[in-house]
């Protein structure tokens, strides 16, 4: 059991504690296999581990406490886990919203074994009072679809992996944490739009970066007592966010970054650097670049690989 209290009220406050998982021991040896497991290219696990160690070291150097859950599994669990090629994408397994841990449910059978592995540890590490809600098995909630905008608002995508039923089942729990509005968006169901964090991300307390097609999508906004429809930009503006619409982008490295603190972003070496100089609110950002090229071939990026447990 850890002594700290799970606590996340935004995507941009200082990151203090994060859960990671090292890559599996398997190579994805050719493009045919990669395509069949939803990856973009063959992956060498030695190179993937080198990327992971650079990622982990960079977080530690920034003062982030790391919990690698692969080291905490039982021997029987390790036998399976070390062959689960997607296990380093820990963002989907759970999320901390306010002071509570919400446990996800896999929307893909390929990823299903990871969830009980991680959940059993979270239940062991933290008192029951922090485990507010576990998804019913008939629903799916992959937490890459959850974006905490600020202490008032949460944006959630339903689509390829997360079901409407799952979101409806947690709405009241989120309101109990003190959030006033939850917006639900339904984005296209494609591999390049798999989760919300492959389409948009928070860069500042007042700026969100997003693929430009999202401006055409409405959101269904819920309060504890009412609901309404707004356009995505209108909802974001309502909560103090400008939107930096990207017309051109490389989905994973350009969108899937993480905030280390309000001044610093951890981004992929392959990110398009020009986009960080075009918007005035981004020009003074401290950008730390790391090489996660081998890991990104698995279909996710830096945000997908981190599960924040505490943001200060």
């Amino acid at each position: 059991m850890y002594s700290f209290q799970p606590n996340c009220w935004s995507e941009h406050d200082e990151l203090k504690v994060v859960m990671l998982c090292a890559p599996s021991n398997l190579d994805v040896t050719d493009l045919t296999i990669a395509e069949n497991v939803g990856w973009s290219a063959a992956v060498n696990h030695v190179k993937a581990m080198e990327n992971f160690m650079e990622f982990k070291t960079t977080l530690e150097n920034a003062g982030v406490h790391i919990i690698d859950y692969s080291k905490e599994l039982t021997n029987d669990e390790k036998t399976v886990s070390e062959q689960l090629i997607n296990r380093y994408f820990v963002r989907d397994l759970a999320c901390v919203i306010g002071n509570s841990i919400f446990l996800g449910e896999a929307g893909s059978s390929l990823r299903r074994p990871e969830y009980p592995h991680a959940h059993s540890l979270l239940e062991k590490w933290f008192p029951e009072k922090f485990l507010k809600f576990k998804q019913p098995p008939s629903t799916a909630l992959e937490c890459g679809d959850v974006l905490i905008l600020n202490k008032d608002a949460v944006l959630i995508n339903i689509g390829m992996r997360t079901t409407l039923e799952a979101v409806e089942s947690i709405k009241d729990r989120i309101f109990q944490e003190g959030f006033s509005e939850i917006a639900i968006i339904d984005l296209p169901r494609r591999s390049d739009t798999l989760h919300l964090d492959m389409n948009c991300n928070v860069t500042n307390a007042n700026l969100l970066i997003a693929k430009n097609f999202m401006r055409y999508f409405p959101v269904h906004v819920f309060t504890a007592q009412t609901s309404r429809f707004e356009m995505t930009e209108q909802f974001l503006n309502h909560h103090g966010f400008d939107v930096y619409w990207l017309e051109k982008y490389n989905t994973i490295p350009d969108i899937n970054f993480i905030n280390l603190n309000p001044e610093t972003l951890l981004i992929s070496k392959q990110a398009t650097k020009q986009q960080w100089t075009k918007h005035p609110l981004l020009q003074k950002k401290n950008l730390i670049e790391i090489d996660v090229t081998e890991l990104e071939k698995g279909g996710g990026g830096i945000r997908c690989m981190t599960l924040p447990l505490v943001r200060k």
Side-chain angles (χ1 to χ4, degrees):
M1 185 180 293
Y2 287 95
S3 59
F4 61 84
Q5 175 179 323
N7 185 349
C8 287
W9 296 91
S10 78
E11 303 287 341
H12 63 272
D13 289 324
E14 184 180 0
L15 187 61
K16 300 301 293 182
V17 184
V18 68
M19 190 174 86
L20 307 180
C21 184
S24 76
N25 294 333
L26 297 184
D27 293 327
V28 174
T29 54
D30 58 55
L31 182 58
T32 300
I33 294 174
E35 289 175 344
N36 280 311
V37 298
W39 288 21
S40 64
V43 170
N44 178 282
H45 84 273
V46 174
K47 292 181 180 178
M49 183 58 77
E50 290 172 354
N51 279 187
F52 177 77
M53 292 309 297
E54 179 181 348
F55 173 47
K56 181 180 178 181
T57 300
T58 303
L59 288 172
E60 289 173 336
N61 289 343
V64 180
H65 177 66
I66 306 295
I67 301 172
D68 182 348
Y69 90 76
S70 67
K71 296 181 178 180
E72 306 288 338
L73 297 171
T74 66
N75 289 334
D76 286 345
E77 289 171 332
K78 285 179 181 178
T79 300
V80 176
S81 180
E82 288 173 355
Q83 300 177 75
L84 299 175
I85 58 173
N86 291 298
R87 70 175 190 170
Y88 61 94
F89 294 132
V90 295
R91 172 71 65 157
D92 301 322
L93 306 179
C95 54
V96 177
I97 304 177
N99 292 315
S100 295
I101 301 174
F102 290 73
L103 302 177
E105 189 71 30
S108 162
S109 60
L110 192 64
R111 301 207 55 192
R112 196 159 291 142
E114 303 164 42
Y115 285 69
H117 288 171
H119 293 174
S120 64
L121 290 171
L122 289 168
E123 289 166 351
K124 173 184 173 182
W125 294 337
F126 299 108
E128 187 177 349
K129 66 178 180 178
F130 297 136
L131 296 170
K132 291 284 187 171
F133 194 75
K134 188 169 185 176
Q135 278 297 312
S138 60
T139 64
L141 174 67
E142 296 197 355
C143 297
D145 278 322
V146 178
L147 204 65
I148 305 172
L149 298 175
N150 51 36
K151 288 188 175 183
D152 291 321
V154 178
L155 178 62
I156 304 177
N157 176 50
I158 58 172
M160 194 164 178
R161 292 289 179 83
T162 295
T163 63
L164 176 60
E165 292 78 11
V167 179
E168 289 177 336
S169 71
I170 65 172
K171 289 207 315 289
D172 289 344
R173 307 281 179 154
I174 295 174
F175 291 136
Q176 288 170 19
E177 287 299 307
F179 294 88
S180 60
E181 293 195 334
I182 300 166
I184 299 175
I185 192 168
D186 187 352
L187 294 175
R189 292 157 168 81
R190 301 191 308 265
S191 60
D192 65 325
T193 55
L194 182 67
H195 290 128
L196 182 61
D197 62 11
M198 297 181 74
N199 299 280
C200 65
N201 207 344
V202 172
T203 63
N204 289 334
N206 56 353
L207 183 67
L208 184 135
I209 190 169
K211 295 178 179 178
N212 62 347
F213 78 84
M214 285 184 63
R215 72 194 321 156
Y216 298 96
F217 278 69
V219 292
H220 196 178
V221 184
F222 292 87
T223 70
Q225 293 83 28
T226 66
S227 71
R228 68 183 188 278
F229 287 96
E230 290 184 341
M231 299 307 292
T232 296
E233 187 168 25
Q234 180 186 6
F235 172 74
L236 293 167
N237 291 165
H238 177 70
H239 287 283
F241 284 87
D242 289 330
V243 185
Y244 178 20
W245 298 109
L246 298 182
E247 295 183 8
K248 296 180 180 180
Y249 42 79
N250 187 357
T251 291
I252 293 172
D254 287 351
I255 305 290
N256 209 261
F257 52 81
I258 193 168
N259 294 262
L260 295 181
N261 55 55
E263 292 79 36
T264 308
L265 294 175
L266 183 59
I267 67 170
S268 168
K269 182 181 178 181
Q270 302 214 92
T272 306
K273 306 306 182 297
Q274 296 90 327
Q275 73 183 24
W276 303 107
T277 60
K278 288 183 178 179
H279 197 286
L281 292 177
L282 294 177
Q283 291 171 356
K284 295 183 179 180
K285 278 284 186 181
N286 177 25
L287 303 177
I288 299 177
E289 298 179 37
I290 58 171
D291 184 4
V292 286
T293 306
E294 202 72 10
L295 295 170
E296 288 174 329
K297 294 176 183 177
I302 289 171
R303 188 179 190 273
C304 296
M305 295 185 285
T306 59
L307 171 49
L309 296 175
V310 179
R311 282 191 182 274
K312 188 175 180 180

